[in-house]
Every structure is written in C-alpha cells, then in structure tokens.
Amino acid sequence: STVLEAGLRMLLARDRLARLRHAVLLAQSLARMQRCRKDFAADRDQVLRLQRWWRSLTKRRRWRNLQHYVGLIQRVARGASGRRQSKEQLARVHRRKLALRALLRIRRKNLAHRAWRAAMMEKYRGVKPAAPPRERVVREIIELKQVNDLQEMEAQA
C-alpha cells in the first residue's frame, strides 16, 4: 500500500508540477506578450506620427504649389487666348484690306465705264466740245508771239 500511496503521491506531484509548469509558462507568455504589445503600440504610435507628419507635409506642399500651378495654367491659357485674338484681329484687318481693294477696283471700273459711256453719248449725239473762252485764246496768242519774238532775237544775235 505504501508503494501505491507513493505512486499516487508521485502522480499527484507530477500533475501539480505539470499544472504549475503550465501556469508559469502562461505567466511568462503573458509577461512577454505585454512587453511585445507595449513595444508594438509604441512602434505603431511612432509610425502613425510619422505618417501624419508626412501627409501634412505633402498636403502643405500641394497647397503651396497649387497656387503656383494655377497661375501657370492661367498664364498659358491667357497667352493662348491673346495669340488667338491677335490672329483674329490680323485676319479682320486683312479681310478689310481685301474688301477695300475690291471696292476700289469696282469704283475704278464704274468710273471708267461712266467716262466711256459719256464719250460714246457725246459721239452719238454729235456734241462737240465747247470752245475755250475768247480771252484765253487771245492771251495764249500774245504769249506765243512774245516767245517767238524772243527766239528770233536770240537767233539773230
């Protein structure tokens, strides 16, 4: 019976030892887990802080550059608009010049036709051009006579 009791005590002691070992392992595991969890939480907080800083920095840069880029886009758009308006203005001036030339050409043709028509009508009607006034004819004859007298005096001298 002592052997049985000793065996039973040994069995109970082994069982207690196994439970104790299990409890110690659990306590060690919890302690290690707490340390790892604390380290993980600290690392995560640092990572989140770094991410927050980086996102804030990129947002500030984006906002700062946004105004610059908007200015660039507006400058390019206004330049293109100005060039387009300038081309349109040149085209309008060119079209006006062409229209003016065409109108002048038409006017010259009309004047030439009117002159031709007036000449044809004069020929048709037999109207002769009016004689110059008598005073003018007399004056021209006197002037020609004076020129002739001068030339004759130069020829004799």
Side-chain angles (χ1 to χ4, degrees):
S1 113
T2 57
V3 173
L4 266 176
E5 285 177 9
L8 202 55
R9 277 193 305 260
M10 188 180 77
L11 189 63
L12 288 174
R14 276 187 181 169
D15 189 43
R16 202 175 326 126
L17 181 66
R19 272 192 258 133
L20 188 64
R21 187 181 290 155
H22 183 67
V24 168
L25 280 174
L26 255 169
Q28 286 176 347
S29 174
L30 276 172
R32 287 185 187 131
M33 181 195 73
Q34 289 293 335
R35 194 174 348 125
C36 287
R37 199 170 192 182
K38 191 172 99 181
D39 290 347
F40 171 75
D43 288 346
R44 187 185 63 205
D45 289 343
Q46 288 176 352
V47 165
L48 289 176
R49 189 175 178 192
L50 187 63
Q51 284 177 346
R52 199 169 35 244
W53 171 81
W54 177 251
R55 288 176 183 150
S56 164
L57 179 72
T58 55
K59 201 179 262 188
R60 274 183 274 134
R61 281 183 186 162
R62 235 183 281 132
W63 178 251
R64 192 178 332 129
N65 291 337
L66 176 70
Q67 294 168 346
H68 174 69
Y69 292 141
V70 165
L72 282 176
I73 290 170
Q74 286 176 345
R75 189 173 10 172
V76 168
R78 288 176 182 146
S81 171
R83 285 188 293 276
R84 185 176 53 249
Q85 287 176 356
S86 175
K87 275 186 183 177
E88 288 172 0
Q89 177 67 23
L90 281 175
R92 281 193 296 269
V93 168
H94 182 67
R95 285 192 300 268
R96 281 188 204 128
K97 284 181 181 178
L98 288 177
L100 183 63
R101 286 181 191 148
L103 289 173
L104 286 174
R105 194 169 37 249
I106 291 169
R107 172 120 175 107
R108 279 190 222 111
K109 282 183 181 179
N110 284 343
L111 289 175
H113 180 71
R114 284 182 194 160
W116 173 82
R117 187 172 183 273
M120 288 296 118
M121 291 305 288
E122 283 178 16
K123 288 179 183 177
Y124 176 73
R125 291 184 187 144
V127 176
K128 296 190 177 177
R134 183 173 177 84
E135 304 88 34
R136 194 170 106 198
V137 173
V138 171
R139 193 175 349 114
E140 287 179 3
I141 290 174
I142 292 172
E143 287 174 6
L144 287 173
K145 173 113 174 76
Q146 288 173 353
V147 170
N148 188 30
D149 290 344
L150 282 174
Q151 287 177 350
E152 281 181 6
M153 288 196 322
E154 285 178 5
Q156 289 175 2

